[in-house]
Amino acid sequence: AKIFSVMKGACDGGLDVPHSTSRLIGYDASAKSFDAATLRKYLFGGNISEYMETLQEEPEKYKRQFGKYQAAGVSASGLEALYESAHKAIRANPAAEKKTPSVPAGEKPKRYNKQRLTYSQRKDRIRQKLASAAKKNAAA
C-alpha cells in the first residue's frame, strides 16, 4: 500500500518509525524474502516508466496521462534521473518551503461547496417559498 511507501520515505528521511520489511513492496510472503531491487524500482518510478512505455502505443491516452512530462522533455527512460534529482534536492535542503498563497491578500479563495445558511436565512427562504406558492395558487 502507498502508506508503507510514505513510511519508508519517513524512515529514509531520518524519522524513527518501527517497521518491518515484510510490509514493503518487494517482500515475497511465500519465500519469506525481501528483494531490495524491487523496492528501489518503485521508489525511483520504475513502475511509472513501465506504464509510460505501454501507453506510448496509444498517443491520445499517453498525452492525457503524461502530457506535462512530455512538455518538460521527460521520457520513460529519463524518469529515474528525475526522481534521483528530486531525492538529491530534498536531502540538500529538507526544510519545507512556505508557499505564497495563490489568492491575493484581502480576497477569499473560491468555494466549491455551497456555504451553509444560518437558521434565520433558512426560515426566510421557507417564507419566500410559501409566499411564492400562495401567489401561484391565487393566480390559478
Side-chain angles (χ1 to χ4, degrees):
K2 291 179 183 179
I3 190 70
F4 295 110
S5 298
V6 172
M7 184 222 29
K8 171 73 170 125
C11 290
D12 289 348
L15 293 177
D16 183 25
V17 180
H19 69 285
S20 170
T21 56
S22 65
R23 305 294 274 167
L24 301 174
I25 292 173
Y27 182 78
D28 185 13
S30 60
K32 296 197 184 291
S33 64
F34 177 68
D35 183 22
T38 305
L39 178 63
R40 186 185 189 290
K41 181 183 102 175
Y42 276 82
L43 288 176
F44 285 95
N47 55 333
I48 298 168
S49 65
E50 286 175 4
Y51 183 61
M52 285 175 86
E53 289 168 358
T54 58
L55 271 189
Q56 282 178 343
E57 297 166 2
E58 302 173 41
E60 190 176 305
K61 280 186 175 181
Y62 182 81
K63 186 170 184 167
R64 185 171 7 124
Q65 190 77 27
F66 298 108
K68 290 191 179 185
Y69 283 102
Q70 224 173 8
V74 178
S75 64
S77 59
L79 201 59
E80 185 173 344
L82 177 72
Y83 274 74
E84 283 177 2
S85 65
H87 288 201
K88 192 179 290 183
I90 291 170
R91 285 187 190 100
N93 184 14
E97 294 178 14
K98 188 171 184 175
K99 294 183 180 179
T100 58
S102 59
V103 179
E107 289 185 27
K108 288 186 177 181
K110 182 177 179 180
R111 286 185 69 107
Y112 292 96
N113 56 347
K114 285 179 73 174
Q115 192 167 6
R116 189 173 176 169
L117 298 176
T118 63
Y119 179 73
S120 59
Q121 289 171 330
R122 290 194 306 265
K123 286 292 187 182
D124 186 46
R125 186 166 178 257
I126 291 170
R127 269 191 232 102
Q128 288 175 358
K129 283 188 175 190
L130 289 174
S132 173
K135 195 182 282 186
K136 219 182 234 183
N137 286 339

